[in-house]
């Protein structure tokens, strides 16, 4: 796809616009205005393969504040804006709750790229991390020879002492997001199997009443 300068998009047909959006997700667009928005975002992205594949995984919607969404492709609900202060009392932190990170804050998993540099997800716990980093963390598995499942935890919850883990319980504070299900469900299933086996062994040895 050849990208025309953004100013020229007014003359382009819907079909031309769709083609010019390239790797960017234009599937959700229902009118030309939305297509032009995607075209604008796509046109601002570097042509390098890495940047284009990042674009491919990105939500291409423009938020009501006018900023591009920092979320992931196909998300049902857009990520809260990483560039605008959260609605309500700006800057004020509710007790025990940190505001979402800004686009310039480092990702709590990679500490390399700022939040705004790659598609990010809002986890069930309320923390925001890069989707790619969350998936890499899940795939990396447990660190040592002994099976453990702490790598499934949100690094920010872990750091703030959210230790609600109960053996075999559904309350285990894993990173929760619809787009991680495919990666994390098999590991959670393995965890449950390990817990069941461990419990059976304890029962057999008479260590559990
Ligand atoms: Zn979005
Ligand atoms: Zn905004
Ligand atoms: Zn990251
Ligand atoms: Zn968290």
């Amino acid at each position: 796809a050849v990208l025309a300068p953004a100013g020229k998009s007014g003359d382009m047909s819907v079909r031309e616009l769709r083609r010019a959006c390239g790797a960017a997700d234009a599937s959700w667009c229902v009118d030309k205005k939305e297509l032009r928005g995607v075209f604008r975002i796509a046109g601002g992205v570097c042509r390098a393969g890495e940047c284009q594949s990042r674009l491919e995984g990105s939500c291409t919607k423009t938020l009501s504040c006018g900023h591009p969404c920092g979320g992931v492709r196909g998300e049902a609900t857009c990520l809260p804006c990483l560039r605008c202060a959260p609605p309500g009392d700006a800057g004020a932190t509710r007790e025990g709750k940190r505001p979402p990170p800004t686009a310039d804050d480092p990702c709590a998993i990679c500490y390399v790229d700022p939040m705004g540099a790659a598609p990010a997800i809002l986890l069930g716990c309320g923390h925001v991390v890069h989707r790619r980093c969350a998936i890499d963390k899940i795939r990396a598995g447990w660190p040592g020879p002994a099976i453990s499942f702490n790598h499934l935890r949100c690094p920010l919850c872990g750091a703030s002492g959210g230790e609600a883990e109960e053996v075999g319980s559904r309350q285990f504070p894993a990173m929760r997001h619809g787009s991680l299900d495919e990666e994390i469900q098999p590991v959670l299933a393995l965890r449950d199997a390990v817990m069941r086996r461990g419990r059976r062994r304890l029962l057999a040895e008479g260590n559990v009443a």
Side-chain angles (χ1 to χ4, degrees), residues 162-176:
E163 305 291 327
E165 177 182 4
E166 274 180 44
V167 171
S169 115
R170 304 240 160 248
Q171 304 307 311
F172 181 82
M175 295 184 285
R176 302 273 182 197

Side-chain angles (χ1 to χ4, degrees), residues 97-149:
K97 270 224 160 180
R98 292 191 48 196
T102 72
D104 299 324
D105 285 335
C107 160
I109 298 178
C110 65
Y111 282 104
V112 174
D113 290 320
M115 284 317 309
I121 49 176
L122 176 65
L123 300 174
C125 57
H127 291 122
V128 180
V129 293
H130 292 140
R131 175 169 186 266
R132 182 75 253 166
C133 296
I135 287 181
D136 286 349
K137 188 164 149 59
I138 296 166
R139 287 188 183 163
W142 47 85
I147 296 180
S148 69
F149 296 94

Side-chain angles (χ1 to χ4, degrees), residues 185-199:
Q185 288 310 337
V187 195
L188 286 174
L190 170 66
R191 179 188 60 98
D192 288 345
V194 167
M195 295 304 180
R196 275 196 305 274
R197 283 179 71 141
R199 191 174 157 76

